[in-house]
Amino acid sequence: MKKIPIIFDVDTGIDDGTTLMMACISENLEILGVTVSHGNNYLTHTLRNTLNVLKLCGREDIPVAAGAAAPILRKMDRDQEQEAGGMFVHGENGLGGYEFPFEDARKALRKEKAWDFVYETVKNYGKPVVYCCLGPLTNAGILLRKYPDASDYIRCFVNMGGYIREGTLSPMSSVNIFYDPHGAEIVMDSGIPFYMCPGDLTGDALITLEEMKEMEKFRSPVGKAACAMIHSYYETCAKLGENVVNGLVGQSMHDNCALAFIEHPELFTYGRYYCRVESQSRLCVAMTVIDYEDTLRLPKDQKNLFFVDSVDREGFARYFMECFQKYEDREGGRL
């Protein structure tokens, strides 16, 4: 089976971190690198978390490049930065207070900026690469603005972000689009196929309390770290009333859902639509305006968005648990 060449762009909080853990153990992915941006926390923390997660997984062979510390154009005051920074969900260090049992990793860190690293990597790889963006689209936006021909080397974007009927930090925005609506606008208008795993969908990618209880049996370093992070995630989200979905109690694993779509698209349904990102309006800033009812009657080649709208929750949960079980099986002889 041919592996999928992929680069991840992350703002490593809890769901980004556990997504990288899942990707690192996958037999289906060829991870060419990881780029890091602001988002769930300040860049210093998201970069630290990313490097340490890769070290924990034994994957310091994967190069990491630091990117943007702030949105392309949008200015936020300190209160907005802390709110948009996800610290109330992911904790001050971005990982729910989890601390790694080793000194901070630096081995995988490259000197070049994220967008320069991505451009050289995809240009030289030899075939189109998937760019999976799990945070704000700042790094991707800068990449396309600096290197317009990068579109020749990127197979598609897979993004966790957007909403069609809800809002978080503004009435009609998801968190990741709110972080940098201008970056999202650049990427969405690029002509590169864009697969959106929106908040409407990823909330359904729930790990139940029973499944979280099963995770407490994990004894590998990765399994124990994931368990601790997800329990912290659940405790915070439960306080916000975000712990019950479709009658099930547990924790939605948002970024992990995007990875599941890449590895197991058979668990999902999606359609093709036209979409623009609102970057100017105060009331609707960062809204992903999706022509869901085909009101504009645009031809297929002008429909720039593949909107992922449903997930097989049980199938997702099996995949999720199987990824971490692989660490248990790998580490079994050394525990």
Side-chain angles (χ1 to χ4, degrees), residues 89 212 228-240 251:
V89 172
M212 290 169 61
M229 292 177 194
I230 292 169
H231 273 78
S232 176
Y233 201 13
Y234 169 78
E235 289 172 5
T236 301
C237 289
K239 294 175 184 176
L240 299 173
Q251 179 56 47

Side-chain angles (χ1 to χ4, degrees), residues 196-213:
M196 177 186 287
C197 295
D200 310 77
L201 163 80
T202 61
D204 293 342
L206 184 93
I207 300 301
T208 65
L209 286 180
E210 291 76 17
E211 288 154 351
M212 290 169 61
K213 189 71 175 176

Side-chain angles (χ1 to χ4, degrees), residues 154-201:
I154 296 175
R155 174 180 166 187
C156 65
F157 287 100
V158 178
N159 172 245
M160 190 277 121
Y163 268 118
I164 197 169
R165 63 180 65 87
E166 298 181 44
T168 48
L169 299 178
S170 71
M172 291 299 293
S173 78
S174 72
V175 172
N176 284 342
I177 304 299
F178 183 88
Y179 289 159
D180 193 344
H182 296 94
E185 189 175 35
I186 293 168
V187 175
M188 206 86 69
D189 292 348
S190 68
I192 300 170
F194 188 93
Y195 290 84
M196 177 186 287
C197 295
D200 310 77
L201 163 80

Side-chain angles (χ1 to χ4, degrees), residues 78-320:
R78 186 164 182 82
D79 288 341
Q80 286 179 314
E81 283 183 347
Q82 294 208 359
E83 183 180 18
M87 296 179 196
F88 63 104
V89 172
H90 297 270
E92 289 189 10
N93 74 345
L95 295 176
Y98 177 81
E99 293 292 345
F100 294 89
F102 46 73
E103 293 185 1
D104 287 346
R106 301 290 293 180
K107 181 179 178 181
L109 183 61
R110 300 287 291 264
K111 292 182 180 180
E112 57 264 53
K113 286 291 189 179
W115 37 89
D116 299 323
F117 166 77
V118 171
Y119 180 69
E120 291 303 322
T121 300
V122 298
K123 184 178 179 180
N124 295 323
Y125 182 70
K127 58 183 177 180
V129 174
V130 174
Y131 199 3
C132 180
C133 298
L134 303 178
L137 289 162
T138 310
N139 289 340
I142 295 173
L143 166 72
L144 295 174
R145 194 167 62 173
K146 185 174 182 179
Y147 302 106
D149 64 319
S151 60
D152 296 335
Y153 312 113
I154 296 175
R155 174 180 166 187
C156 65
F157 287 100
V158 178
N159 172 245
M160 190 277 121
Y163 268 118
I164 197 169
R165 63 180 65 87
E166 298 181 44
T168 48
L169 299 178
S170 71
M172 291 299 293
S173 78
S174 72
V175 172
N176 284 342
I177 304 299
F178 183 88
Y179 289 159
D180 193 344
H182 296 94
E185 189 175 35
I186 293 168
V187 175
M188 206 86 69
D189 292 348
S190 68
I192 300 170
F194 188 93
Y195 290 84
M196 177 186 287
C197 295
D200 310 77
L201 163 80
T202 61
D204 293 342
L206 184 93
I207 300 301
T208 65
L209 286 180
E210 291 76 17
E211 288 154 351
M212 290 169 61
K213 189 71 175 176
E214 285 296 307
M215 294 187 72
E216 293 176 8
K217 299 177 183 178
F218 291 160
R219 291 294 176 265
S220 68
V222 174
K224 289 194 290 186
C227 182
M229 292 177 194
I230 292 169
H231 273 78
S232 176
Y233 201 13
Y234 169 78
E235 289 172 5
T236 301
C237 289
K239 294 175 184 176
L240 299 173
E242 298 176 358
N243 60 323
V244 181
V245 179
N246 298 326
L248 297 174
V249 181
Q251 179 56 47
S252 297
M253 302 305 300
H254 301 284
D255 290 340
N256 313 70
C257 191
L259 176 62
F261 175 71
I262 293 169
E263 289 214 75
H264 292 285
E266 73 278 4
L267 298 175
F268 299 81
T269 62
Y270 61 93
R272 188 170 184 176
Y273 308 95
Y274 175 72
C275 178
R276 293 297 301 273
V277 178
E278 175 56 63
S279 61
Q280 304 299 325
S281 166
R282 288 181 62 86
L283 179 63
C284 296
V285 65
M287 178 181 180
T288 46
V289 185
I290 301 169
D291 185 16
Y292 197 72
E293 301 296 337
D294 198 25
T295 303
L296 299 177
R297 301 283 188 245
L298 294 174
K300 187 176 180 179
D301 62 357
Q302 292 184 33
K303 295 179 178 179
N304 59 333
L305 173 71
F306 294 88
F307 184 83
V308 187
D309 53 18
S310 77
V311 58
D312 175 349
R313 194 217 71 87
E314 288 75 18
F316 168 80
R318 284 195 300 272
Y319 161 70
F320 183 93

Side-chain angles (χ1 to χ4, degrees), residues 23-86:
C24 283
I25 201 72
S26 171
E27 299 173 354
N28 302 320
L29 305 176
E30 181 183 0
I31 305 175
L32 304 179
V34 180
T35 55
V36 187
S37 78
H38 69 101
N40 283 323
N41 210 303
Y42 301 119
L43 179 62
T44 52
H45 291 299
T46 59
L47 179 60
R48 171 182 180 266
N49 293 344
T50 302
L51 291 165
N52 285 341
V53 165
L54 293 180
K55 181 175 180 178
L56 185 72
C57 295
R59 294 301 310 270
E60 289 187 283
D61 59 302
I62 299 172
V64 174
I72 292 175
L73 291 176
R74 189 162 186 232
K75 303 296 183 184
M76 293 187 286
D77 61 35
R78 186 164 182 82
D79 288 341
Q80 286 179 314
E81 283 183 347
Q82 294 208 359
E83 183 180 18

